Amino acid sequence: MPALSEVPRTHPRYASLMTREKLVEGVGRGITGLNGLIAQGRGEALDYLIGEVTTAPAMEAERAAAAMLLLAEGPVLSVNGNAAALVPKEMVALANKIGAPLEVNIFYRTEERVKKIADLLRGLGAGTVYGDEPDAQIPGLDHARAKAARGGIYDADVVFVPLEDGDRCEALVKMGKRVITVDLNPLSRTARTSTVTIVDNVVRALPNLISLVDEMAGQDEAELRRLLEGYDNRAVLRRSVEEMISHLTHQFSALDG
Amino acid sequence: MPALSEVPRTHPRYASLMTREKLVEGVGRGITGLNGLIAQGRGEALDYLIGEVTTAPAMEAERAAAAMLLLAEGPVLSVNGNAAALVPKEMVALANKIGAPLEVNIFYRTEERVKKIADLLRGLGAGTVYGDEPDAQIPGLDHARAKAARGGIYDADVVFVPLEDGDRCEALVKMGKRVITVDLNPLSRTARTSTVTIVDNVVRALPNLISLVDEMAGQDEAELRRLLEGYDNRAVLRRSVEEMISHLTHQFSALDG
């Protein structure tokens, strides 16, 4: 692959290529796994199907997520290998804005990779970073995947876990936590299981969340609670699928041109 | 990632996981590039959208492709890093059945990777394998991408290039070649540019093509020509998009359950 600097900013797929390059760099730096590249590809294809923009239902989910994070008593932000490669600064910025710790949580756990991601986040100004010294287990997951930290995900009331897998998401919900995820597949088990599912590219969702938290921090709690009470995740997922169908239908008409 | 042997055959996503593992192994063996993993992910997401089966329009394209290969005077089969990891035996078997040479043709060319893929194909019983000593240039592509072999792709009348990129596909068509591709995105430039576009997973398309070539080898030329004359690639692409929309609509109804 050409280096980032070789891709001209005018390239029609510049944003997508930049994202791809960051992931490949993440593999080189030992923070992203090879399976993370395959996950990125799945995301690329699905993002293409929603037109590579934040859709109206995604924005509604992001607004609900911001309210939930602001109302949470002990929110925690979970960071995996892809989030660490794509939006590390944004994860730290969001954590600092809401006074939440971060916790490194990767699918194919190696202590070395966890340590590298934790160090990366600390280097970017993170306060508390959990993950490299887990002292608790999430019930219902096998040993390596179950690892969690007291004071971190294990004790959180609200967990923000972008790009999470279905099993772990379900296990967190079963523990009684409210789970916010970012997943471009509105039909995935993660999407269906989570409390708030943001069907958006993580590189757009994080900057949006940071802006929304800034904007909504001044609202009173009752207002935020009303917003959350009116939020229907299943309806948002349905509208996300409709966005895909509508986009495919438009592209499909272009085939006749 | 767990080793292949650790994934139980009863796992609902066994086929998809096996495919993924083969790619990761391909990276380990130096025949697949990291960008090939991202491409695999895109394919996974799109395959999911057609229900991970060979659709009716895909089968029609495969039938046209088999006829075109049987009628060709000098067909050549192009092999990239993902095809080499996923269907190397099938590529060799198809080449041997129709008496065609293979040519290694990778997106991010390194001589070492080309050599490894060529050796792999030779080890699997391939006859002529081009690619490691290119002696011609495809017009309209930059130097590394333009490399081709006389007697191989450069002189072919029909080129079978699964998983090809848009630029190279277009350049081959401009040279007057008939191009058969396998691409799970019916809206991609490759899909729109090719003479016959098979919107199917390459791990299903290759076995299908081998069976079809066996079955159709006995038909007379006039019959094969009639089949090809009646083939409309644009209509097949349109029906492939309809398959995706229909599958999404079904899944979407399941969200209400």
Side-chain angles (χ1 to χ4, degrees), chain A residues 1-2 20 35 38 41-42 44 49 108 234 238 251-252 255-256, chain B residues 1 20 34-35 38 41-42 44 49 108 187 234 238 251-252 255-256:
Chain A
M1 272 190 208
R20 203 181 287 179
N35 54 297
I38 299 177
R42 286 196 298 274
E44 276 184 18
L49 290 182
Y108 294 106
R234 197 155 281 261
R238 237 180 270 132
Q251 295 285 325
F252 163 71
L255 269 183
D256 294 314
Chain B
M1 270 187 208
R20 203 181 288 178
L34 290 181
N35 54 296
I38 299 177
R42 285 195 298 274
E44 276 184 18
L49 290 183
Y108 294 107
L187 299 165
R234 197 155 280 259
R238 239 180 269 131
Q251 295 284 327
F252 165 70
L255 269 183
D256 295 315

PDB file of all heavy atoms in Angstrom, chain A residues 1-2 20 35 38 41-42 44 49 108 234 238 251-252 255-256, chain B residues 1 20 34-35 38 41-42 44 49 108 187 234 238 251-252 255-256:
ATOM      1  N   MET A   1       0.840  -1.195   0.000  1.00  0.00           N
ATOM      2  CA  MET A   1       0.000   0.000   0.000  1.00  0.00           C
ATOM      3  C   MET A   1       0.874   1.243   0.000  1.00  0.00           C
ATOM      4  O   MET A   1       1.901   1.271   0.665  1.00  0.00           O
ATOM      5  CB  MET A   1      -0.829   0.027   1.294  1.00  0.00           C
ATOM      6  CG  MET A   1      -2.119  -0.711   1.144  1.00  0.00           C
ATOM      7  SD  MET A   1      -3.169  -0.430   2.552  1.00  0.00           S
ATOM      8  CE  MET A   1      -4.083  -1.966   2.477  1.00  0.00           C
ATOM      9  N   PRO A   2       0.434   2.264  -0.704  1.00  0.00           N
ATOM     10  CA  PRO A   2       1.224   3.496  -0.672  1.00  0.00           C
ATOM     11  C   PRO A   2       1.144   4.117   0.720  1.00  0.00           C
ATOM     12  O   PRO A   2       0.176   3.881   1.436  1.00  0.00           O
ATOM     13  CB  PRO A   2       0.538   4.383  -1.709  1.00  0.00           C
ATOM     14  CG  PRO A   2      -0.847   3.846  -1.846  1.00  0.00           C
ATOM     15  CD  PRO A   2      -0.787   2.391  -1.495  1.00  0.00           C
ATOM     16  N   ARG A  20      -8.237   3.150   6.200  1.00  0.00           N
ATOM     17  CA  ARG A  20      -7.613   1.856   5.929  1.00  0.00           C
ATOM     18  C   ARG A  20      -6.116   1.882   6.276  1.00  0.00           C
ATOM     19  O   ARG A  20      -5.593   0.971   6.906  1.00  0.00           O
ATOM     20  CB  ARG A  20      -7.801   1.571   4.438  1.00  0.00           C
ATOM     21  CG  ARG A  20      -7.731   0.127   4.095  1.00  0.00           C
ATOM     22  CD  ARG A  20      -7.900  -0.052   2.607  1.00  0.00           C
ATOM     23  NE  ARG A  20      -9.267   0.173   2.143  1.00  0.00           N
ATOM     24  CZ  ARG A  20      -9.618   0.091   0.853  1.00  0.00           C
ATOM     25  NH1 ARG A  20      -8.719  -0.187  -0.075  1.00  0.00           N
ATOM     26  NH2 ARG A  20     -10.868   0.284   0.509  1.00  0.00           N
ATOM     27  N   ASN A  35      -7.364  -9.842  12.410  1.00  0.00           N
ATOM     28  CA  ASN A  35      -8.815  -9.946  12.320  1.00  0.00           C
ATOM     29  C   ASN A  35      -9.477  -8.558  12.327  1.00  0.00           C
ATOM     30  O   ASN A  35     -10.554  -8.380  11.795  1.00  0.00           O
ATOM     31  CB  ASN A  35      -9.368 -10.796  13.461  1.00  0.00           C
ATOM     32  CG  ASN A  35      -8.890 -10.275  14.802  1.00  0.00           C
ATOM     33  OD1 ASN A  35      -7.689 -10.278  15.077  1.00  0.00           O
ATOM     34  ND2 ASN A  35      -9.789  -9.788  15.620  1.00  0.00           N
ATOM     35  N   ILE A  38      -9.997  -7.435   8.803  1.00  0.00           N
ATOM     36  CA  ILE A  38     -11.191  -8.033   8.178  1.00  0.00           C
ATOM     37  C   ILE A  38     -12.443  -7.302   8.674  1.00  0.00           C
ATOM     38  O   ILE A  38     -13.339  -6.973   7.895  1.00  0.00           O
ATOM     39  CB  ILE A  38     -11.264  -9.550   8.474  1.00  0.00           C
ATOM     40  CG1 ILE A  38     -10.024 -10.251   7.892  1.00  0.00           C
ATOM     41  CG2 ILE A  38     -12.537 -10.157   7.890  1.00  0.00           C
ATOM     42  CD1 ILE A  38      -9.940 -11.738   8.175  1.00  0.00           C
ATOM     43  N   GLY A  41     -12.859  -4.145   6.843  1.00  0.00           N
ATOM     44  CA  GLY A  41     -13.417  -4.356   5.506  1.00  0.00           C
ATOM     45  C   GLY A  41     -14.929  -4.506   5.558  1.00  0.00           C
ATOM     46  O   GLY A  41     -15.646  -3.924   4.742  1.00  0.00           O
ATOM     47  N   ARG A  42     -15.424  -5.271   6.547  1.00  0.00           N
ATOM     48  CA  ARG A  42     -16.878  -5.414   6.689  1.00  0.00           C
ATOM     49  C   ARG A  42     -17.507  -4.038   6.888  1.00  0.00           C
ATOM     50  O   ARG A  42     -18.516  -3.702   6.281  1.00  0.00           O
ATOM     51  CB  ARG A  42     -17.221  -6.332   7.879  1.00  0.00           C
ATOM     52  CG  ARG A  42     -16.954  -7.805   7.611  1.00  0.00           C
ATOM     53  CD  ARG A  42     -17.657  -8.694   8.643  1.00  0.00           C
ATOM     54  NE  ARG A  42     -17.197  -8.467  10.002  1.00  0.00           N
ATOM     55  CZ  ARG A  42     -16.143  -9.042  10.553  1.00  0.00           C
ATOM     56  NH1 ARG A  42     -15.402  -9.891   9.860  1.00  0.00           N
ATOM     57  NH2 ARG A  42     -15.808  -8.772  11.796  1.00  0.00           N
ATOM     58  N   GLU A  44     -16.321  -1.133   5.959  1.00  0.00           N
ATOM     59  CA  GLU A  44     -16.231  -0.348   4.715  1.00  0.00           C
ATOM     60  C   GLU A  44     -17.407  -0.645   3.793  1.00  0.00           C
ATOM     61  O   GLU A  44     -18.024   0.265   3.237  1.00  0.00           O
ATOM     62  CB  GLU A  44     -14.952  -0.687   3.944  1.00  0.00           C
ATOM     63  CG  GLU A  44     -13.739   0.060   4.403  1.00  0.00           C
ATOM     64  CD  GLU A  44     -12.510  -0.255   3.536  1.00  0.00           C
ATOM     65  OE1 GLU A  44     -12.665  -0.766   2.408  1.00  0.00           O
ATOM     66  OE2 GLU A  44     -11.395  -0.014   4.008  1.00  0.00           O
ATOM     67  N   LEU A  49     -22.903   1.225   1.925  1.00  0.00           N
ATOM     68  CA  LEU A  49     -24.344   1.013   1.742  1.00  0.00           C
ATOM     69  C   LEU A  49     -25.202   2.092   2.406  1.00  0.00           C
ATOM     70  O   LEU A  49     -26.384   2.214   2.098  1.00  0.00           O
ATOM     71  CB  LEU A  49     -24.764  -0.354   2.282  1.00  0.00           C
ATOM     72  CG  LEU A  49     -24.288  -1.561   1.501  1.00  0.00           C
ATOM     73  CD1 LEU A  49     -24.822  -2.836   2.135  1.00  0.00           C
ATOM     74  CD2 LEU A  49     -24.741  -1.491   0.044  1.00  0.00           C
ATOM     75  N   TYR A 108      -8.959 -10.808  20.602  1.00  0.00           N
ATOM     76  CA  TYR A 108      -7.927 -11.863  20.715  1.00  0.00           C
ATOM     77  C   TYR A 108      -6.849 -11.319  21.644  1.00  0.00           C
ATOM     78  O   TYR A 108      -5.871 -10.730  21.214  1.00  0.00           O
ATOM     79  CB  TYR A 108      -7.353 -12.222  19.350  1.00  0.00           C
ATOM     80  CG  TYR A 108      -8.384 -12.875  18.450  1.00  0.00           C
ATOM     81  CD1 TYR A 108      -8.956 -12.178  17.395  1.00  0.00           C
ATOM     82  CD2 TYR A 108      -8.788 -14.190  18.681  1.00  0.00           C
ATOM     83  CE1 TYR A 108      -9.919 -12.781  16.588  1.00  0.00           C
ATOM     84  CE2 TYR A 108      -9.749 -14.786  17.881  1.00  0.00           C
ATOM     85  CZ  TYR A 108     -10.306 -14.080  16.838  1.00  0.00           C
ATOM     86  OH  TYR A 108     -11.258 -14.667  16.040  1.00  0.00           O
ATOM     87  N   ARG A 234     -34.923  -0.099  18.714  1.00  0.00           N
ATOM     88  CA  ARG A 234     -35.389  -0.990  17.655  1.00  0.00           C
ATOM     89  C   ARG A 234     -35.892  -0.188  16.442  1.00  0.00           C
ATOM     90  O   ARG A 234     -35.602  -0.532  15.294  1.00  0.00           O
ATOM     91  CB  ARG A 234     -36.484  -1.915  18.209  1.00  0.00           C
ATOM     92  CG  ARG A 234     -36.778  -3.128  17.371  1.00  0.00           C
ATOM     93  CD  ARG A 234     -37.355  -4.239  18.218  1.00  0.00           C
ATOM     94  NE  ARG A 234     -36.315  -4.930  18.941  1.00  0.00           N
ATOM     95  CZ  ARG A 234     -35.794  -6.094  18.530  1.00  0.00           C
ATOM     96  NH1 ARG A 234     -36.211  -6.670  17.432  1.00  0.00           N
ATOM     97  NH2 ARG A 234     -34.849  -6.675  19.236  1.00  0.00           N
ATOM     98  N   ARG A 238     -34.397  -0.208  12.636  1.00  0.00           N
ATOM     99  CA  ARG A 238     -35.259  -0.404  11.479  1.00  0.00           C
ATOM    100  C   ARG A 238     -35.039   0.711  10.457  1.00  0.00           C
ATOM    101  O   ARG A 238     -34.923   0.465   9.267  1.00  0.00           O
ATOM    102  CB  ARG A 238     -36.717  -0.419  11.949  1.00  0.00           C
ATOM    103  CG  ARG A 238     -37.450  -1.691  11.562  1.00  0.00           C
ATOM    104  CD  ARG A 238     -38.881  -1.647  12.041  1.00  0.00           C
ATOM    105  NE  ARG A 238     -39.005  -2.194  13.382  1.00  0.00           N
ATOM    106  CZ  ARG A 238     -39.645  -1.630  14.389  1.00  0.00           C
ATOM    107  NH1 ARG A 238     -40.223  -0.443  14.237  1.00  0.00           N
ATOM    108  NH2 ARG A 238     -39.706  -2.216  15.556  1.00  0.00           N
ATOM    109  N   GLN A 251     -28.676   3.570  -6.019  1.00  0.00           N
ATOM    110  CA  GLN A 251     -27.504   3.128  -6.769  1.00  0.00           C
ATOM    111  C   GLN A 251     -27.936   2.222  -7.906  1.00  0.00           C
ATOM    112  O   GLN A 251     -27.385   2.230  -8.999  1.00  0.00           O
ATOM    113  CB  GLN A 251     -26.561   2.349  -5.847  1.00  0.00           C
ATOM    114  CG  GLN A 251     -25.960   3.184  -4.751  1.00  0.00           C
ATOM    115  CD  GLN A 251     -24.882   4.089  -5.271  1.00  0.00           C
ATOM    116  OE1 GLN A 251     -24.148   3.726  -6.174  1.00  0.00           O
ATOM    117  NE2 GLN A 251     -24.788   5.269  -4.710  1.00  0.00           N
ATOM    118  N   PHE A 252     -28.923   1.415  -7.599  1.00  0.00           N
ATOM    119  CA  PHE A 252     -29.486   0.448  -8.508  1.00  0.00           C
ATOM    120  C   PHE A 252     -30.086   1.164  -9.721  1.00  0.00           C
ATOM    121  O   PHE A 252     -29.859   0.775 -10.870  1.00  0.00           O
ATOM    122  CB  PHE A 252     -30.538  -0.307  -7.684  1.00  0.00           C
ATOM    123  CG  PHE A 252     -31.553  -1.097  -8.417  1.00  0.00           C
ATOM    124  CD1 PHE A 252     -31.185  -2.263  -9.060  1.00  0.00           C
ATOM    125  CD2 PHE A 252     -32.879  -0.703  -8.431  1.00  0.00           C
ATOM    126  CE1 PHE A 252     -32.144  -3.020  -9.711  1.00  0.00           C
ATOM    127  CE2 PHE A 252     -33.830  -1.461  -9.074  1.00  0.00           C
ATOM    128  CZ  PHE A 252     -33.465  -2.619  -9.722  1.00  0.00           C
ATOM    129  N   LEU A 255     -27.609   2.096 -12.252  1.00  0.00           N
ATOM    130  CA  LEU A 255     -27.154   1.015 -13.140  1.00  0.00           C
ATOM    131  C   LEU A 255     -27.834   1.094 -14.503  1.00  0.00           C
ATOM    132  O   LEU A 255     -27.332   0.557 -15.481  1.00  0.00           O
ATOM    133  CB  LEU A 255     -27.464  -0.350 -12.526  1.00  0.00           C
ATOM    134  CG  LEU A 255     -26.407  -0.990 -11.640  1.00  0.00           C
ATOM    135  CD1 LEU A 255     -26.874  -2.350 -11.196  1.00  0.00           C
ATOM    136  CD2 LEU A 255     -25.073  -1.105 -12.359  1.00  0.00           C
ATOM    137  N   ASP A 256     -28.990   1.734 -14.562  1.00  0.00           N
ATOM    138  CA  ASP A 256     -29.691   1.850 -15.837  1.00  0.00           C
ATOM    139  C   ASP A 256     -29.128   2.986 -16.692  1.00  0.00           C
ATOM    140  O   ASP A 256     -29.413   3.078 -17.864  1.00  0.00           O
ATOM    141  CB  ASP A 256     -31.192   2.099 -15.592  1.00  0.00           C
ATOM    142  CG  ASP A 256     -31.835   0.889 -14.928  1.00  0.00           C
ATOM    143  OD1 ASP A 256     -31.568  -0.215 -15.401  1.00  0.00           O
ATOM    144  OD2 ASP A 256     -32.577   1.069 -13.953  1.00  0.00           O
TER     145      ASP A 256
ATOM    146  N   MET B   1      -6.418 -15.450  16.850  1.00  0.00           N
ATOM    147  CA  MET B   1      -7.484 -16.277  16.293  1.00  0.00           C
ATOM    148  C   MET B   1      -7.238 -17.743  16.594  1.00  0.00           C
ATOM    149  O   MET B   1      -6.094 -18.184  16.544  1.00  0.00           O
ATOM    150  CB  MET B   1      -7.480 -16.134  14.767  1.00  0.00           C
ATOM    151  CG  MET B   1      -8.353 -15.004  14.314  1.00  0.00           C
ATOM    152  SD  MET B   1      -8.482 -15.017  12.531  1.00  0.00           S
ATOM    153  CE  MET B   1      -8.750 -13.269  12.312  1.00  0.00           C
ATOM    154  N   ARG B  20     -11.989 -17.008   6.435  1.00  0.00           N
ATOM    155  CA  ARG B  20     -11.202 -15.984   7.106  1.00  0.00           C
ATOM    156  C   ARG B  20      -9.850 -16.537   7.555  1.00  0.00           C
ATOM    157  O   ARG B  20      -8.813 -15.904   7.371  1.00  0.00           O
ATOM    158  CB  ARG B  20     -12.009 -15.496   8.309  1.00  0.00           C
ATOM    159  CG  ARG B  20     -11.649 -14.139   8.775  1.00  0.00           C
ATOM    160  CD  ARG B  20     -12.477 -13.769   9.975  1.00  0.00           C
ATOM    161  NE  ARG B  20     -13.878 -13.503   9.664  1.00  0.00           N
ATOM    162  CZ  ARG B  20     -14.777 -13.190  10.594  1.00  0.00           C
ATOM    163  NH1 ARG B  20     -14.423 -13.118  11.874  1.00  0.00           N
ATOM    164  NH2 ARG B  20     -16.007 -12.953  10.256  1.00  0.00           N
ATOM    165  N   LEU B  34      -1.859  -7.448   3.429  1.00  0.00           N
ATOM    166  CA  LEU B  34      -2.760  -6.978   4.496  1.00  0.00           C
ATOM    167  C   LEU B  34      -4.023  -6.356   3.905  1.00  0.00           C
ATOM    168  O   LEU B  34      -5.114  -6.511   4.438  1.00  0.00           O
ATOM    169  CB  LEU B  34      -2.054  -5.960   5.388  1.00  0.00           C
ATOM    170  CG  LEU B  34      -0.935  -6.523   6.279  1.00  0.00           C
ATOM    171  CD1 LEU B  34      -0.331  -5.411   7.125  1.00  0.00           C
ATOM    172  CD2 LEU B  34      -1.446  -7.648   7.163  1.00  0.00           C
ATOM    173  N   ASN B  35      -3.860  -5.650   2.785  1.00  0.00           N
ATOM    174  CA  ASN B  35      -5.034  -5.073   2.128  1.00  0.00           C
ATOM    175  C   ASN B  35      -6.006  -6.159   1.648  1.00  0.00           C
ATOM    176  O   ASN B  35      -7.197  -5.925   1.520  1.00  0.00           O
ATOM    177  CB  ASN B  35      -4.599  -4.197   0.953  1.00  0.00           C
ATOM    178  CG  ASN B  35      -3.710  -4.970   0.001  1.00  0.00           C
ATOM    179  OD1 ASN B  35      -2.611  -5.392   0.380  1.00  0.00           O
ATOM    180  ND2 ASN B  35      -4.165  -5.192  -1.199  1.00  0.00           N
ATOM    181  N   ILE B  38      -8.598  -6.718   4.302  1.00  0.00           N
ATOM    182  CA  ILE B  38      -9.662  -5.706   4.284  1.00  0.00           C
ATOM    183  C   ILE B  38     -10.644  -6.032   3.154  1.00  0.00           C
ATOM    184  O   ILE B  38     -11.862  -5.959   3.339  1.00  0.00           O
ATOM    185  CB  ILE B  38      -9.069  -4.282   4.142  1.00  0.00           C
ATOM    186  CG1 ILE B  38      -8.147  -3.980   5.334  1.00  0.00           C
ATOM    187  CG2 ILE B  38     -10.175  -3.235   4.042  1.00  0.00           C
ATOM    188  CD1 ILE B  38      -7.437  -2.636   5.264  1.00  0.00           C
ATOM    189  N   GLY B  41     -12.940  -8.703   4.211  1.00  0.00           N
ATOM    190  CA  GLY B  41     -13.997  -8.192   5.089  1.00  0.00           C
ATOM    191  C   GLY B  41     -15.128  -7.558   4.288  1.00  0.00           C
ATOM    192  O   GLY B  41     -16.303  -7.791   4.570  1.00  0.00           O
ATOM    193  N   ARG B  42     -14.767  -6.780   3.265  1.00  0.00           N
ATOM    194  CA  ARG B  42     -15.810  -6.179   2.420  1.00  0.00           C
ATOM    195  C   ARG B  42     -16.648  -7.283   1.791  1.00  0.00           C
ATOM    196  O   ARG B  42     -17.880  -7.205   1.768  1.00  0.00           O
ATOM    197  CB  ARG B  42     -15.174  -5.308   1.319  1.00  0.00           C
ATOM    198  CG  ARG B  42     -14.641  -3.985   1.820  1.00  0.00           C
ATOM    199  CD  ARG B  42     -14.373  -3.013   0.656  1.00  0.00           C
ATOM    200  NE  ARG B  42     -13.369  -3.504  -0.279  1.00  0.00           N
ATOM    201  CZ  ARG B  42     -12.071  -3.346  -0.153  1.00  0.00           C
ATOM    202  NH1 ARG B  42     -11.577  -2.703   0.887  1.00  0.00           N
ATOM    203  NH2 ARG B  42     -11.239  -3.814  -1.056  1.00  0.00           N
ATOM    204  N   GLU B  44     -17.130 -10.312   2.932  1.00  0.00           N
ATOM    205  CA  GLU B  44     -17.955 -10.966   3.963  1.00  0.00           C
ATOM    206  C   GLU B  44     -19.263 -10.220   4.178  1.00  0.00           C
ATOM    207  O   GLU B  44     -20.333 -10.824   4.263  1.00  0.00           O
ATOM    208  CB  GLU B  44     -17.217 -10.990   5.308  1.00  0.00           C
ATOM    209  CG  GLU B  44     -16.265 -12.141   5.470  1.00  0.00           C
ATOM    210  CD  GLU B  44     -15.648 -12.158   6.864  1.00  0.00           C
ATOM    211  OE1 GLU B  44     -16.178 -11.521   7.796  1.00  0.00           O
ATOM    212  OE2 GLU B  44     -14.599 -12.810   7.009  1.00  0.00           O
ATOM    213  N   LEU B  49     -25.195 -10.013   2.803  1.00  0.00           N
ATOM    214  CA  LEU B  49     -26.369  -9.323   2.249  1.00  0.00           C
ATOM    215  C   LEU B  49     -27.077 -10.115   1.149  1.00  0.00           C
ATOM    216  O   LEU B  49     -28.208  -9.817   0.801  1.00  0.00           O
ATOM    217  CB  LEU B  49     -25.976  -7.954   1.700  1.00  0.00           C
ATOM    218  CG  LEU B  49     -25.600  -6.895   2.730  1.00  0.00           C
ATOM    219  CD1 LEU B  49     -25.298  -5.583   2.028  1.00  0.00           C
ATOM    220  CD2 LEU B  49     -26.720  -6.686   3.740  1.00  0.00           C
ATOM    221  N   TYR B 108      -0.662  -4.996  -4.971  1.00  0.00           N
ATOM    222  CA  TYR B 108       0.557  -4.360  -4.454  1.00  0.00           C
ATOM    223  C   TYR B 108       1.707  -5.308  -4.751  1.00  0.00           C
ATOM    224  O   TYR B 108       2.037  -6.165  -3.942  1.00  0.00           O
ATOM    225  CB  TYR B 108       0.432  -4.080  -2.960  1.00  0.00           C
ATOM    226  CG  TYR B 108      -0.626  -3.037  -2.666  1.00  0.00           C
ATOM    227  CD1 TYR B 108      -1.845  -3.378  -2.111  1.00  0.00           C
ATOM    228  CD2 TYR B 108      -0.389  -1.694  -2.966  1.00  0.00           C
ATOM    229  CE1 TYR B 108      -2.822  -2.414  -1.863  1.00  0.00           C
ATOM    230  CE2 TYR B 108      -1.358  -0.730  -2.720  1.00  0.00           C
ATOM    231  CZ  TYR B 108      -2.564  -1.089  -2.167  1.00  0.00           C
ATOM    232  OH  TYR B 108      -3.515  -0.140  -1.925  1.00  0.00           O
ATOM    233  N   LEU B 187     -22.250  -3.110  -7.647  1.00  0.00           N
ATOM    234  CA  LEU B 187     -22.220  -1.702  -8.023  1.00  0.00           C
ATOM    235  C   LEU B 187     -20.797  -1.192  -8.238  1.00  0.00           C
ATOM    236  O   LEU B 187     -20.602  -0.030  -8.589  1.00  0.00           O
ATOM    237  CB  LEU B 187     -22.906  -0.866  -6.939  1.00  0.00           C
ATOM    238  CG  LEU B 187     -24.378  -1.195  -6.676  1.00  0.00           C
ATOM    239  CD1 LEU B 187     -24.833  -0.577  -5.358  1.00  0.00           C
ATOM    240  CD2 LEU B 187     -25.250  -0.706  -7.815  1.00  0.00           C
ATOM    241  N   ARG B 234     -25.780  -6.403 -17.554  1.00  0.00           N
ATOM    242  CA  ARG B 234     -26.393  -5.316 -16.802  1.00  0.00           C
ATOM    243  C   ARG B 234     -27.675  -5.787 -16.087  1.00  0.00           C
ATOM    244  O   ARG B 234     -27.925  -5.448 -14.934  1.00  0.00           O
ATOM    245  CB  ARG B 234     -26.696  -4.153 -17.758  1.00  0.00           C
ATOM    246  CG  ARG B 234     -26.943  -2.835 -17.072  1.00  0.00           C
ATOM    247  CD  ARG B 234     -26.631  -1.682 -18.007  1.00  0.00           C
ATOM    248  NE  ARG B 234     -25.197  -1.452 -18.037  1.00  0.00           N
ATOM    249  CZ  ARG B 234     -24.589  -0.469 -17.342  1.00  0.00           C
ATOM    250  NH1 ARG B 234     -25.299   0.341 -16.587  1.00  0.00           N
ATOM    251  NH2 ARG B 234     -23.294  -0.317 -17.403  1.00  0.00           N
ATOM    252  N   ARG B 238     -28.412  -5.912 -12.081  1.00  0.00           N
ATOM    253  CA  ARG B 238     -29.628  -5.340 -11.515  1.00  0.00           C
ATOM    254  C   ARG B 238     -30.336  -6.361 -10.625  1.00  0.00           C
ATOM    255  O   ARG B 238     -30.773  -6.053  -9.521  1.00  0.00           O
ATOM    256  CB  ARG B 238     -30.556  -4.896 -12.651  1.00  0.00           C
ATOM    257  CG  ARG B 238     -30.878  -3.419 -12.582  1.00  0.00           C
ATOM    258  CD  ARG B 238     -31.797  -3.025 -13.726  1.00  0.00           C
ATOM    259  NE  ARG B 238     -31.040  -2.587 -14.882  1.00  0.00           N
ATOM    260  CZ  ARG B 238     -31.223  -3.003 -16.131  1.00  0.00           C
ATOM    261  NH1 ARG B 238     -32.144  -3.892 -16.419  1.00  0.00           N
ATOM    262  NH2 ARG B 238     -30.487  -2.525 -17.095  1.00  0.00           N
ATOM    263  N   GLN B 251     -34.600  -9.600   6.448  1.00  0.00           N
ATOM    264  CA  GLN B 251     -33.903  -9.491   7.724  1.00  0.00           C
ATOM    265  C   GLN B 251     -34.537  -8.394   8.564  1.00  0.00           C
ATOM    266  O   GLN B 251     -34.654  -8.488   9.778  1.00  0.00           O
ATOM    267  CB  GLN B 251     -32.425  -9.159   7.491  1.00  0.00           C
ATOM    268  CG  GLN B 251     -31.675 -10.244   6.779  1.00  0.00           C
ATOM    269  CD  GLN B 251     -31.358 -11.387   7.701  1.00  0.00           C
ATOM    270  OE1 GLN B 251     -31.130 -11.188   8.882  1.00  0.00           O
ATOM    271  NE2 GLN B 251     -31.348 -12.603   7.182  1.00  0.00           N
ATOM    272  N   PHE B 252     -34.906  -7.355   7.876  1.00  0.00           N
ATOM    273  CA  PHE B 252     -35.507  -6.172   8.449  1.00  0.00           C
ATOM    274  C   PHE B 252     -36.840  -6.542   9.125  1.00  0.00           C
ATOM    275  O   PHE B 252     -37.125  -6.133  10.250  1.00  0.00           O
ATOM    276  CB  PHE B 252     -35.692  -5.209   7.272  1.00  0.00           C
ATOM    277  CG  PHE B 252     -36.594  -4.052   7.477  1.00  0.00           C
ATOM    278  CD1 PHE B 252     -36.228  -3.014   8.309  1.00  0.00           C
ATOM    279  CD2 PHE B 252     -37.791  -3.980   6.785  1.00  0.00           C
ATOM    280  CE1 PHE B 252     -37.062  -1.919   8.449  1.00  0.00           C
ATOM    281  CE2 PHE B 252     -38.614  -2.884   6.918  1.00  0.00           C
ATOM    282  CZ  PHE B 252     -38.257  -1.855   7.760  1.00  0.00           C
ATOM    283  N   LEU B 255     -36.441  -8.007  12.446  1.00  0.00           N
ATOM    284  CA  LEU B 255     -36.174  -7.064  13.540  1.00  0.00           C
ATOM    285  C   LEU B 255     -37.430  -6.787  14.362  1.00  0.00           C
ATOM    286  O   LEU B 255     -37.352  -6.351  15.502  1.00  0.00           O
ATOM    287  CB  LEU B 255     -35.665  -5.728  12.995  1.00  0.00           C
ATOM    288  CG  LEU B 255     -34.171  -5.547  12.851  1.00  0.00           C
ATOM    289  CD1 LEU B 255     -33.877  -4.149  12.377  1.00  0.00           C
ATOM    290  CD2 LEU B 255     -33.438  -5.817  14.151  1.00  0.00           C
ATOM    291  N   ASP B 256     -38.590  -7.015  13.767  1.00  0.00           N
ATOM    292  CA  ASP B 256     -39.834  -6.790  14.498  1.00  0.00           C
ATOM    293  C   ASP B 256     -40.174  -7.955  15.413  1.00  0.00           C
ATOM    294  O   ASP B 256     -41.040  -7.848  16.257  1.00  0.00           O
ATOM    295  CB  ASP B 256     -40.993  -6.561  13.511  1.00  0.00           C
ATOM    296  CG  ASP B 256     -40.784  -5.282  12.725  1.00  0.00           C
ATOM    297  OD1 ASP B 256     -40.430  -4.273  13.356  1.00  0.00           O
ATOM    298  OD2 ASP B 256     -40.948  -5.297  11.500  1.00  0.00           O
TER     299      ASP B 256
END
